[in-house]
């Protein structure tokens, strides 16, 4: 019998009995794994997040990220000794805010500003589509979130994973898990959310506005004679102004533009491009996913706040999409060269999924209306828009 | 109520800033395109690396690296 | 003359005179380099280990890993300042237990569970072949090792580098160097050890049991209609039960299964697979090798314990192989569908070398007896077996 | 002697656990194979991504990425 | 008006007004970017250095590396919390001296000692070309630098980026920025500096010495029957002696030779070669560049010392080149098999640029005088020469 | 003045060391070349992996890895 007791003691079975909610968390992690693997919802992030969540919820596995108060003033070797490698990774890579800028460097190295530069005018709509961030923030304050928490919740409406994670780390690290889950899930659900909001807010006539037709009716005078050179100068000059006006966005936008710069320079900095877009990006994604997942224990996740975040995140997405659409409608009231409101719908970012969805919707109404290149313009500018919005929130709230 | 005022102000500040930055994106982008177009027109005649020169570079690299490296692209730097 | 004194002072010559055993360590490091480079013994690990050993034994080079007591409560910047970069790397990456799980993630990403799934029954023999671990542990306690040290010594019989290193880090970090050397050396010597043990324990008739013949005599009813889907579900479901029953094995098995999962999902998580199997794996291997090598200074390595570890490691390997073989013999007593005892011999792991060796031996006795696919089943299950055994040891002894 | 008893117990616990886990590997593996086989039989008729649909996806990606990306594999997710 | 005030407060505009010199630093960073991108000056290093410099000089961006005294006894999580991710990276990766050895590992993995082994005699001139290091050090002490600072300044004459950075980190971290800039800029300017010094110090007759002609007049008896095996043994045996005589050079030379070893072993250690020459190298280059750049704030950079470093660095380069040339001339006085003085000019290192420049100069005077392979010998030995010189400086001055 | 003397001494020590090390490079390099040449001469007749043996290895690897790996190089180790 001693043997059986020893065996039982070693297992996590008794511990599960005393905290049965951990089992619920395991079920949730399997659901997320199903969404990531079976349904293809942002698998690069959802699979490691869900796996980290699973590991964290086995009592005795020593993989759950502990409350920051527990490791106050600990140095990282102490954290590793007391709470294991997952906490070491979390407090070194995530809590310090290191990984989101590194991932943004990779995003920059994989972003082509070409479509935006060819349709610069449309970049405006990436601004209007940030309205969901601030609207939901206000609602969140009204229903009892602190301003910091409200800001972190609102930023889900920026439809940008690293931006949402970075903002949460700084403003409300205790909500990091649900915010990351909500951000990536809704980004994966963009093919459902955008058509829904579009149906509520636009008419068939508007959706039939053919971008190429408008282009030939009112041709742009602008010709780009050396796109490559423009693309090298663009991150430098743009950086100068953004850093000047919103210095708190430097960690995100700075690394984004650096990654983009080493890509556009080409062969001469190819080694840096490889590091930014592959080596660092892929490694950072694994560690970000696993550690963010490991923050989601029953105690930290199964709270009313999580439900509000999941709900609020959806509202923020919807308002952002509607914001972009109404900005286009407003523009169309005054301009003779009309814009398809779908171009506004992609302003929230979720690159490049949103653009593909917009393109598909447009083709349904007019088989010749290939507006993908146009949608990419507001789509990409939405990334800059939400990173700047994050900078403003951090600057005012932290 | 104080807090709500602050948050409303933050909405305004935030949206103003975002619009300002994306205006800069548009303005700056157009300016850069024009600037580069202008530079292009001036440089157009002298902007090719002479084929003869390229051949020399290629063969030197091939010797130095014992054929392990190859010239992917030659950029004229001056 | 002042010049000559100054010059001499700068060199390591005087220091070597006061610690001539360091020269012996250099000789050992050159022998290991010869084995790794000239003889092809696990060069990926033995070359960096030997090089780290060489660097560590030049007095004044500041590359030797110091005793953990000397850096008690130091944070890593202090360690770097006082004891240089090798200690910084060692105490951050190894002493915390970080690298072995990361390497196991890579092992998982390079492991194909297919051969095991196609011959599941044979996976049992990966359990019997762990007996060497526990037997040698008992002997070690009897001859005076502490239980923790004995557990770390026994785990060499698991024939799995990262598992042995991880267990040593936790149970007996002062023995890490010789245990790592013994583990990787005997894994490299599997082509010699397995034939030896097989000769001692099996008859020619047994070695001539033809697996494919048995298969056609007693065909399995099981058909796998979608191996890919099974391979995705397998790490998840298996993980659930292992983590539940042996939560202390989560750092090893959890990362192994995560690496395997991102491989099997395929294109959707290819970036994670790249990071796990290349970027992280290769980088971790360099740092693991160099720092483990740098723990082997004359003081820490030239002890009677090292000889006992080298001897005990060999015995553990031999017993594990014999354990697997006898388990097959026992099975054959009762079953009509016979199994070649070589399938048991590969249960200790040392993937895939052990399977190749078993295959070669079988072919010597029967030119048609290609049992590689069968051997891989117990071979791979032996990896899980020893990781679980390590979890049990850690759970009971640490 | 106490210590030796503990260590002997550890041998038993260890081997029992290892056998238990590898039994689970075998059992679970067989169960999963059967489960997936069952699912396969049900889904077999509807499990191909229509060729026409695939062609559309391929061409869209080609446009978006200006030919830099290509479709390696299309997985039906619903 | 409150709105406008809030907006202004968020920006860096007011801060720039109180520290207008930061604007000058931004101008300098744009000049460096122009040199790196437009002129192709060592873009792999100058682009990240310049970008880091730009980020650091936006007040409020929290990207400037602070004085080491400010973070005395801080552990890295504290540094991250108080001073942001750039300081975290700097104090973990640079101040500890970690990255230069890792980069040297990559340099080793990309260096082929073949040309040197085929013309071993010429390797001597890599020694003479280190004279610039020590001469400029003496001058620097005379004009008021401390000996440590003088050593760090002199090492610019080693024409080797990682060596210069490593030496500065240890001897004079407050001068790291300008020394790194000077080292990489002059390495990029080698196509201008070498011809200049050659013109001052050599006659046309000397430049027309045809190496292959000399070779056929006085053929070498040495034949290499198995270059591959020599190349594997070489780093090991050479390492033994260098580590024995100058143990303080182990962090640089040890990692260089390890990288070279895993390259020469070939397929068996290909994974380590990949990690050393790609994964670690590229990642380290990004972080080295950005963080070194971020040390250059107006306060730390705009000092008279910076001008002296820029001037002294040039003098050190010139003296080193002349040193190599005069060593050849001296040799030619006594030997009948003459050597082209250009072989001496490449001894300072700046691999492989210096050799290509020497080759081009030689071809101007004699179209058949392809001396590239010969120049590579002294060129590569110059890397070892300056790493050893750095070891001596560190050993005596730190 | 003390300091200047030290620095001058450092110049001498430094250059002497650098010359000593590079002499070792030359000497050691020549020694290794001769040593390896000698070894080569002795081993020359027995240094090839038999083609037949190589073919077996290649096919085994191909089976084990289901065609995913290929033999890049076979080194004789004993
Ligand atoms: Na956005
Ligand atoms: Na094993
Ligand atoms: Na040099």
């Amino acid at each position: 019998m001693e043997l059986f007791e020893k065996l039982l003691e070693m297992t996590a079975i008794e511990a599960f009995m005393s905290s049965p909610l951990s089992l619920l968390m395991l079920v949730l992690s399997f659901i997320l794994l199903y969404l990531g693997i079976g349904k293809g919802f942002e698998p690069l992030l959802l699979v490691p997040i869900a796996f980290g969540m699973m590991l964290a919820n086995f009592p005795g596995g020593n993989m759950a990220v502990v409350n920051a108060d527990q490791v106050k003033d600990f140095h990282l070797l102490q954290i590793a000794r007391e709470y294991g490698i997952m906490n070491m990774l979390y407090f070194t890579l995530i809590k310090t805010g290191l990984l989101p800028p590194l991932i943004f460097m990779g995003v920059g190295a994989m972003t082509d500003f070409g479509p935006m530069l060819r349709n610069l005018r449309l970049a405006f709509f990436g601004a209007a589509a940030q309205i969901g961030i601030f609207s939901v923030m206000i609602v969140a304050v009204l229903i009892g979130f602190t301003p910091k928490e409200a800001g972190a919740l609102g930023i889900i409406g920026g439809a940008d994973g690293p931006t949402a994670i970075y903002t949460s780390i700084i403003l409300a690290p205790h909500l990091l898990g649900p915010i990351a889950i909500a951000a990536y899930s809704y980004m994966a659900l963009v093919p459902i959310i955008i058509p829904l909001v579009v149906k509520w807010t636009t008419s068939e006539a508007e959706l039939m506005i053919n971008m190429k037709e408008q282009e030939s009716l009112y041709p742009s005078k602008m010709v780009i004679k050396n796109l490559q050179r423009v693309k090298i100068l663009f991150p430098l000059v743009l950086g100068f102004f953004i850093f000047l006006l919103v210095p708190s966005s430097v960690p995100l936008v700075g690394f984004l533009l650096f990654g983009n710069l080493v890509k556009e320079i080409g062969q001469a900095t190819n080694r840096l491009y490889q590091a930014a877009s592959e080596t660092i990006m892929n490694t950072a994604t694994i560690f970000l996913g696993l550690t963010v997942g490991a923050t989601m224990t029953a105690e930290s996740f199964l709270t009313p706040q999580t439900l509000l975040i999941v709900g609020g995140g959806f509202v923020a997405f919807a308002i952002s999409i509607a914001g972009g659409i109404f900005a286009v409608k407003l523009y169309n009231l005054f301009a003779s060269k009309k814009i398809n409101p779908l171009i506004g719908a992609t302003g929230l970012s979720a690159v490049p999924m949103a653009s593909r969805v917009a393109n598909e919707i447009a083709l349904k109404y007019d088989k010749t209306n290939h507006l993908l290149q146009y949608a990419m313009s507001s789509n990409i500018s939405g990334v800059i828009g939400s990173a700047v919005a994050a900078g403003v929130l951090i600057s005012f709230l932290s | 109520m104080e807090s709500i005022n602050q948050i409303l102000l933050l909405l305004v500040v935030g949206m103003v800033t975002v619009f300002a930055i994306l205006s800069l994106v548009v303005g700056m982008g157009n300016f850069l395109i024009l600037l580069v177009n202008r530079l292009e027109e001036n440089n157009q005649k002298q902007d090719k690396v002479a084929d003869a020169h390229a051949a020399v570079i290629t063969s030197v690299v091939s010797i130095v690296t014992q054929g392990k490296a190859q010239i992917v692209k030659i950029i004229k730097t001056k």
Side-chain angles (χ1 to χ4, degrees), chain A residues 298-334:
Chain A
E299 308 87 74
S300 72
F301 190 82
L302 297 175
T303 65
Q305 282 188 321
T306 297
L307 282 180
L308 291 171
I309 287 167
V310 170
F314 179 82
V315 175
F317 259 69
I319 295 179
S320 284
I321 296 167
I325 290 172
F326 282 108
V328 173
K329 287 171 176 252
L330 191 70
Y331 177 93
N332 283 348
L333 285 183
F334 302 101

Side-chain angles (χ1 to χ4, degrees), chain A residues 30-258:
Chain A
F30 275 95
I31 292 174
L32 284 176
L33 282 166
Y34 173 70
L35 293 176
I37 303 170
K39 293 286 174 189
F41 280 20
E42 298 278 338
L44 282 175
L45 265 298
L46 280 197
V47 169
I49 287 177
F51 205 93
M53 192 171 163
M54 179 165 95
L55 292 181
N57 284 285
F58 279 97
N62 207 21
M63 286 282 160
V65 171
V66 299
N67 196 294
D69 295 336
Q70 280 178 261
V71 298
K72 219 178 170 175
D73 300 326
F74 276 35
H75 57 71
L76 79 89
L77 303 183
Q78 277 175 301
I79 293 174
R81 201 184 304 140
E82 301 291 328
Y83 298 107
I85 57 173
M86 195 63 97
N87 279 286
M88 177 187 168
L89 290 170
Y90 174 80
F91 285 99
T92 312
L93 301 177
I94 305 296
K95 192 68 172 62
T96 57
L98 181 62
L99 286 197
L102 296 187
I103 289 182
F104 241 50
M105 181 164 70
V107 169
M110 296 190 292
T111 297
D112 179 5
F113 282 126
M116 191 170 92
L117 289 166
R118 276 188 292 264
N119 297 284
L120 266 173
R121 204 175 35 118
L122 304 177
F124 265 119
F125 302 107
Q130 307 310 320
I131 188 73
I133 296 174
F134 297 100
S135 321
V136 165
M137 177 183 69
I138 290 173
V139 175
V141 168
L142 289 176
I143 63 177
F145 283 88
T146 69
K148 286 186 182 191
E149 292 172 343
L153 201 174
I155 201 72
I156 298 174
D160 211 314
T163 300
I165 287 173
Y166 185 74
T167 310
S168 303
I169 289 167
I170 291 178
L171 296 181
H174 57 293
L175 303 181
L176 176 56
I179 286 174
I181 288 285
Y184 283 106
S185 300
Y186 292 135
M187 280 164 68
L189 287 171
V190 146
I192 293 166
I193 303 176
I194 287 184
L196 214 66
V197 178
V198 164
K199 200 160 73 178
W200 291 339
T201 55
T202 59
S203 67
E204 203 180 312
E206 285 174 320
L207 293 176
M208 290 187 70
I209 296 172
N210 189 309
M211 294 303 288
K212 284 194 181 144
E213 225 171 83
Q214 294 291 321
E215 193 67 44
S216 47
L217 284 173
Y218 310 92
S220 155
K221 295 158 307 206
M222 195 66 103
V223 180
I224 306 179
K225 296 197 179 161
N226 187 335
L227 183 58
Q228 198 48 36
R229 197 165 289 185
V230 174
K231 279 158 100 179
I232 289 174
L233 288 171
F234 183 73
L236 294 172
V237 178
L238 181 64
F240 177 84
F241 284 98
I242 295 184
F243 306 157
L244 180 70
L245 296 179
V246 196
S248 53
S249 70
V250 165
L252 287 176
V253 180
F255 279 78
L256 180 86
L257 296 179
F258 177 70

Side-chain angles (χ1 to χ4, degrees), chain B residues 57-78:
Chain B
I57 295 174
T58 306
S59 59
V60 166
V61 167
S62 174
I63 292 163
V64 179
T65 63
Q66 304 175 270
K68 280 176 200 154
Q70 38 170 172
I71 294 288
V72 175
K73 192 175 168 185
I74 297 172
I75 295 166
K76 181 142 191 206
T77 56
K78 210 165 69 183

